[in-house]
Amino acid sequence: MNTAICVREISKSFGNFSAVNQLSFTVQQGDIYGFLGPNGSGKSTTLRMMMGLIKPSAGDIEIFGTSLSLHRHSIMRKVGCIIEKPDFYGYMSALDNLKLFARANLLTYSPKQYQDLFHLVGLTGREKDKVKTYSHGMKQRLGLAQALIHDPELIILDEPNTGLDPQGIIDLRNLILQLNQERGKTILFSSHILTEVQQLCNRMVVINKGKSVVEGKVEELLSTESMHVRIELSQLDKAIESINQSTYRPKLVNIDDHLFRFKMSKQEIPELLRFFMDQQIDILRVDYRNELEEYFLKITTDQS
Amino acid sequence: MKEFKAILINELIKTMKRPRTYIGFGVITFVCLMLQAAFYKDGKEILSFVTQQFENVFNIEGRVLNGNLICFILLQTLIVQMPLLVALVTGDAVSGETASGTIRFLLTRPASRTKIVLAKWLAGLFYTLLLLIILGIMALVVSRFIFGEGDLMSLNSEGLTVISGDDINWRWGYAFLIAFLSLGVVASLGTFLSCILDNSITPIVSVMAIIIIFTIIGMFDLPSFDVIKPFLFTTHMISWKNLFEDPIPFQDILISIVVLAFHILLFISLSIFYFNRKDIQS
Amino acid sequence: MKSVTLFFLLIISSSCFAGDDPGTLIRNLNKKFKLINDYTAQVYMQFDIPGVKMKSMNGKVFYKQPDKFRIKAKGIFFLPKQNPMQQVSSMLLDTMSYTSVISGYETIQGKNCAIVNIIPLKNTSELILGKFWIDLQNPLVYRSQITTRNSGTLDTESFYSDRSAYALPEKVIIHVEVNKIKVPKMMAADLNKKSKPKSDPNIKEKGTIILSFSNYKINTKLDDEVFIKED
């Protein structure tokens, strides 16, 4: 499999603030690659560097095996993107906006092709409306249309679900899957919501404070072998005594008031619950997360 | 080249579709019509302000209040106001897109930043040219239609110069070219400030502030100002008037053209330099 | 006081130059003027007026007795408010309104001229004093100085050739005194010009207008309409 994107130790500082710090990751062709991080983690700065909007202070980016700093011109022909919120010329119609983008890519589209593109992103019938009358969700769809207008091999989507209604999110997800599976597009999908990435991506990187935290296949990162289980129990002393006398003692991580935290595989959770029920200890609440979810929750909680 | 042509066409389309473009056209048309109406009604009284110094001794024969004089007055008046209209469009060219975020789409196309800024600059010059064409039509063609043709009695600090109506059309041609060059400096300055600033208002206000300060320096005959005056582009923006002197000071005009062209080159070079290094964070 | 001075001047001058009669000179001159009812001529105008730059130009002169005068030309030109071409004949022909004396003699253009002073009889007259250098041999005005209340002194020199029988000059040089026009720099918007040292606005500068006439057509029964200005 060929490499679509290779980011090598890129850094970017704005004054004393280090937005991205020696970040590296690789996207293979055909991936739907999740770029996950909490707000302010450096996702947009990284994506801007990948699109040539910001120059890295250090490091190198290669797209389709070509250095971005040296061959941005030819690379951009193969890349479509939505960076942050989609902004258009509000005083022009959606169709006129797309015509600008088509012309900038040296494309001559027929009316039918424009129609198909509007149909693809679900904006049929609104082509001639001024963009300033569009909702954020509609602009997001139009943003996707402009990203696809030149049939790029790589599509970079920076939080594309923002502002979309639930149906819009489902439509977008289906569209991304369709583009990937039917047209073989490589997609880099950034988000600060883990479930979005989980549902869509095959590989992912998690970044925080401009650094790569973890990178790999989504299914491996979301392994169920080591789940973090939290159980809120009513009788604290009885519960502690029962656990100390059982085989679950080594799996207990800590106790915080009535909240008991265990680390175990997903299959063991029902057995643990049965154990407490047998001991006639009331279970008030149960939740569990995998390692990545636990970690991501921690960094987003720290951020907030 | 094909690519540059495409983005230039895009810039021209954007310029022509933007409502603010038409503010300039409207202002020029309105001011011309307003002044023409005023001159039509009270032109002789207004003129006597200039001619009163002669009136005891001379009768001024012939049609003094004619289309050429009205055009001269309009051009002299509007050359001060037109930079604002030019800055309104060119000062917003890059910064407006940076502020609105559309710059991201622009810069993620397969075109170099140099080409983009050059296309924006040329679109700004095109708008400036359109402004001048409208001014030319309104001030010269319409004024001649209303007030007729005739000799031009031009006013300068040395006194009056009467230019024959038969010898004036080529002067107007070159005067509008020099006016275009002058406003080209404003367009280039607007583009430059637009490249280094991220909101659309500051470059427009900055262009006007620079012009006002430079013009004030030019108005006062102080020895300390005299040293810097020849280097200020505003000093040379009025050099179109030299074409209505007798004899025409071609040397002075040439110097002005060189100074104005130098400023255009300077501002557009700086625009390219800064724009290529600019991080788009909006 | 002025009239008293003029009265003494009159007495002194008339006693000094009793040999020639100014009345006869003027009468002979007026005979020539009276030969003309109207005329037209081509005129070439040259201007040298302080503060005014103007190209020379061609025009056409129209005159009709007693005081209708007009120059038509394509373009703008300056003519003295007290136009000697119009005034000399009409002033001298109105013999009842003035008294005349000879105040001296002077040779002008090789002609022996008497200097005839014309003093208006009415104190309210616009004219204060008219001085005419009239050839004693062939009565023609070779020079005139007309001083009026509002327009100052106008000095004119006339040259004659083939139309001298009608007292029509071939060339007239008009000398005028004007305050040099001064336009404030801010009003002229000459930001690119350095201001020159200020001159005293009360000092008058001399200017000249030269009118060269040709192709006279006399008594063609000119219509009055040609003297009506279009605007």
Side-chain angles (χ1 to χ4, degrees), chain B:
Chain B
M1 196 61 205
K2 240 176 155 183
E3 210 162 61
F4 182 68
K5 195 178 150 196
I7 53 174
L8 178 61
I9 291 170
N10 275 356
E11 289 305 322
L12 294 175
I13 289 172
K14 282 191 273 178
T15 303
M16 297 317 293
K17 289 216 170 190
R18 278 194 341 170
R20 79 167 56 184
T21 301
Y22 296 91
I23 294 175
F25 299 161
V27 167
I28 297 278
T29 309
F30 175 74
V31 170
C32 285
L33 288 174
M34 190 178 70
L35 289 177
Q36 281 159 346
F39 273 99
Y40 193 78
K41 191 173 175 289
D42 303 315
K44 282 181 183 154
E45 284 77 10
I46 299 168
L47 269 186
S48 68
F49 181 69
V50 177
T51 56
Q52 64 185 357
Q53 300 185 58
F54 289 101
E55 275 174 352
N56 283 342
V57 185
F58 294 109
N59 281 328
I60 302 173
E61 304 281 339
R63 185 186 279 172
V64 177
L65 191 69
N66 58 48
N68 287 320
L69 180 69
I70 301 294
C71 183
F72 188 82
I73 294 167
L74 283 173
L75 195 54
Q76 183 170 298
T77 310
L78 285 172
I79 205 79
V80 186
Q81 327 298 339
M82 280 176 78
L84 174 63
L85 302 177
V86 173
L88 205 61
V89 168
T90 58
D92 184 57
V94 179
S95 59
E97 296 222 29
T98 308
S100 70
T102 48
I103 195 90
R104 293 195 299 269
F105 286 138
L106 205 62
L107 296 183
T108 50
R109 303 290 132 190
S112 71
R113 289 192 181 197
T114 303
K115 282 180 185 167
I116 288 169
V117 79
L118 280 176
K120 284 193 167 292
W121 174 66
L122 284 177
L125 288 185
F126 174 75
Y127 165 74
T128 307
L129 185 66
L130 281 185
L131 272 184
L132 276 169
I133 289 171
I134 289 172
L135 178 67
I137 292 169
M138 288 306 301
L140 193 60
V141 180
V142 176
S143 293
R144 281 182 176 181
F145 178 74
I146 298 171
F147 296 93
E149 298 198 24
D151 291 355
L152 170 68
M153 200 168 77
S154 83
L155 188 68
N156 54 53
S157 49
E158 297 294 300
L160 291 176
T161 305
V162 179
I163 307 290
S164 167
D166 297 333
D167 187 36
I168 209 161
N169 283 339
W170 69 272
R171 292 176 198 256
W172 281 124
Y174 283 109
F176 273 92
L177 275 179
I178 293 174
F180 177 62
L181 203 61
S182 307
L183 293 176
V185 176
V186 180
S188 308
L189 174 63
T191 308
F192 166 57
L193 293 174
S194 188
C195 283
I196 60 171
L197 297 164
D198 282 347
N199 68 73
S200 38
I201 299 299
T202 318
I204 297 167
V205 174
S206 304
V207 170
M208 284 320 291
I210 289 169
I211 291 172
I212 289 167
I213 292 167
F214 284 7
T215 307
I216 289 171
I217 291 172
M219 278 178 173
F220 290 99
D221 286 317
L222 300 174
S224 49
F225 286 173
D226 283 346
V227 182
I228 54 170
K229 267 186 217 173
F231 304 103
L232 304 179
F233 67 88
T234 45
T235 308
H236 302 276
M237 281 179 71
I238 206 78
S239 68
W240 64 270
K241 281 186 76 181
N242 289 345
L243 284 155
F244 298 93
E245 286 181 22
D246 189 26
I248 296 173
F250 283 109
Q251 181 82 15
D252 292 352
I253 293 174
L254 194 67
I255 289 169
S256 292
I257 288 172
V258 169
V259 172
L260 292 171
F262 169 77
H263 275 89
I264 290 176
L265 271 176
L266 176 74
F267 290 138
I268 194 60
S269 305
L270 288 172
S271 304
I272 292 168
F273 178 80
Y274 279 103
F275 193 58
N276 271 298
R277 276 152 189 77
K278 192 183 175 94
D279 282 338
I280 306 298
Q281 295 181 66
S282 65

Side-chain angles (χ1 to χ4, degrees), chain A residues 230-283:
Chain A
R230 275 173 247 231
I231 303 178
E232 192 176 348
L233 301 169
S234 60
Q235 299 103 316
L236 184 64
D237 295 338
K238 191 178 175 186
I240 292 170
E241 196 185 331
S242 300
I243 292 166
N244 283 341
Q245 289 169 4
S246 72
T247 54
Y248 294 110
R249 175 70 188 84
K251 292 178 181 177
L252 180 67
V253 178
N254 64 15
I255 304 166
D256 182 6
D257 197 7
H258 286 72
L259 197 67
F260 291 73
R261 288 181 63 197
F262 297 90
K263 204 169 176 185
M264 58 180 60
S265 74
K266 200 173 179 178
Q267 289 78 7
E268 289 175 288
I269 299 171
E271 286 174 28
L272 178 67
L273 297 179
R274 267 197 299 274
F275 167 75
F276 288 124
M277 284 165 72
D278 291 346
Q279 297 293 320
Q280 292 184 329
I281 299 168
D282 296 337
I283 301 166

